[in-house]
Amino acid sequence: MKPFRSRDFTADRAWGSALLGQVDDVTARLHWTDQPYRWHRNTGSEVFFVVDGTVDMHVREDGQEQVYRLEAGDSMTFNDGDEHVAHPVGAARILVVERQDSE
């Protein structure tokens, strides 16, 4: 057992993470960032949960871009092939649960 205080976590770079746990090939990582990620397509399912801060999630569906504002406590799920990019509004802490080898 090891307690972890997410509110105290800050990475040394944008999208740096701490591994909170792993069950078989699925990881739970807490990310800290103050910068956007990059557009990408998932290579598996993903749960994206905003722990602290605000994130504008940009998604592409049928060639159209939509933006969803996620506040602390909000989440989105993505499937294999879903295209998206996260843009934090200031600093944010985000829990990501996905397969270990997922992109």
Side-chain angles (χ1 to χ4, degrees):
M1 270 191 281
K2 181 181 175 187
F4 185 89
R5 295 203 184 275
S6 62
R7 69 176 169 259
D8 297 333
F9 175 68
T10 303
D12 60 354
R13 60 178 164 61
W15 293 99
S17 67
L19 178 63
L20 301 180
Q22 183 168 344
V23 177
D24 298 326
D25 66 341
V26 175
T27 61
R29 291 187 169 277
L30 182 67
H31 293 265
W32 175 92
T33 190
D34 59 357
Q35 300 294 315
Y37 196 59
R38 59 176 169 72
W39 278 101
H40 65 286
R41 289 186 186 272
N42 275 37
T43 57
S45 298
E46 172 187 324
V47 175
F48 184 98
F49 181 89
V50 179
V51 175
D52 183 43
T54 302
V55 176
D56 286 340
M57 182 62 74
H58 298 245
V59 299
R60 285 190 187 137
E61 297 174 296
D62 301 322
Q64 300 291 329
E65 186 174 328
Q66 293 185 325
V67 179
Y68 298 93
R69 176 150 286 189
L70 304 175
E71 306 282 350
D74 294 341
S75 66
M76 285 189 82
T77 56
F78 298 96
N79 296 311
D80 187 35
D82 288 347
E83 189 175 15
H84 61 284
V85 62
H87 287 254
V89 179
R93 290 174 182 86
I94 301 144
L95 175 67
V96 176
V97 180
E98 62 187 349
R99 256 190 7 242
Q100 182 176 4
D101 61 352
S102 186
E103 172 108 5

